[in-house]
Amino acid sequence: MNAVNFFSKEEKDLIKSAIKEAELNTSGEIRVHVENRCKENVLDRAAWWFGKLKMQLTEQRNGVLFYLAVKDRKFAILGDKGINAVTPDDFWDNIREKMLDRFKEGAYAAGLQEGILMAGKALKENFPYLDGDVNELSDEISFGGEE
């Protein structure tokens, strides 16, 4: 099983729907990136993808990346400095723990959905939708990287 085939079409649709729902009432942006391997520190790898996906270029620096390395069973959540400045220090840890509970059950898509919607609530509170707001980043799941 590789990253591209890790989720079924229905699970991919569930994740994309969660992204759209989470972004509905906010100017914040959420991305999901999935690859096979992460041979380094997972936060460092997620930060590399954050830059590669140009997530730091959002106007309000309010992007959130959910990163998974499926073969190495690693994941991370990375928020840009705008969202990190207005959320509690343990905010991402709380979401990560909820997701991990679901992952342990084998419910990876449901875990991502839950985490994405939790992040969306914080984005909505701190970065409400502004008239004329545009979707700055793709809602598609991105794949690739370490084999």
Side-chain angles (χ1 to χ4, degrees):
M1 169 96 28
N2 69 26
V4 175
N5 301 326
F6 186 74
F7 296 109
S8 68
K9 180 189 181 319
E10 292 78 17
E11 289 173 324
K12 289 175 184 174
D13 289 345
L14 178 78
I15 293 165
K16 286 190 277 187
S17 291
I19 292 169
K20 288 183 186 307
E21 182 179 338
E23 291 182 352
L24 190 61
N25 295 307
T26 179
S27 62
E29 298 289 338
I30 297 173
R31 296 276 333 244
V32 173
H33 182 79
V34 183
E35 65 181 337
N36 289 321
R37 300 271 181 212
C38 174
K39 296 177 181 168
E40 61 194 271
N41 176 284
V42 69
L43 285 173
D44 290 343
R45 185 68 178 168
W48 186 85
W49 276 108
F50 197 95
K52 178 93 170 154
L53 296 170
K54 300 184 182 339
M55 295 186 65
Q56 75 283 6
L57 300 179
T58 60
E59 185 177 338
Q60 295 184 6
R61 300 295 301 263
N62 55 2
V64 178
L65 175 64
F66 288 82
Y67 166 85
L68 283 81
V70 295
K71 289 186 178 179
D72 290 328
R73 302 174 70 90
K74 294 181 179 181
F75 78 101
I77 310 164
L78 201 61
D80 206 345
K81 66 181 184 179
I83 186 74
N84 287 341
V86 296
T87 54
D89 290 341
D90 63 348
F91 179 73
W92 301 117
D93 295 332
N94 291 335
I95 293 176
R96 187 179 188 287
E97 289 304 315
K98 291 273 191 195
M99 291 175 62
L100 188 57
D101 289 343
R102 302 291 272 172
F103 289 178
K104 287 177 181 175
E105 299 167 355
Y108 295 97
L112 271 170
Q113 177 191 35
E114 190 170 348
I116 289 165
L117 293 175
M118 289 174 72
K121 286 180 185 173
L123 288 169
K124 180 181 175 181
E125 283 177 27
N126 295 289
F127 300 95
Y129 176 84
L130 301 172
D131 197 32
D133 183 51
V134 295
N135 192 6
E136 296 178 83
L137 299 173
S138 172
D139 294 339
E140 295 296 317
I141 301 167
S142 61
F143 296 94
E146 296 293 325
E147 297 303 317

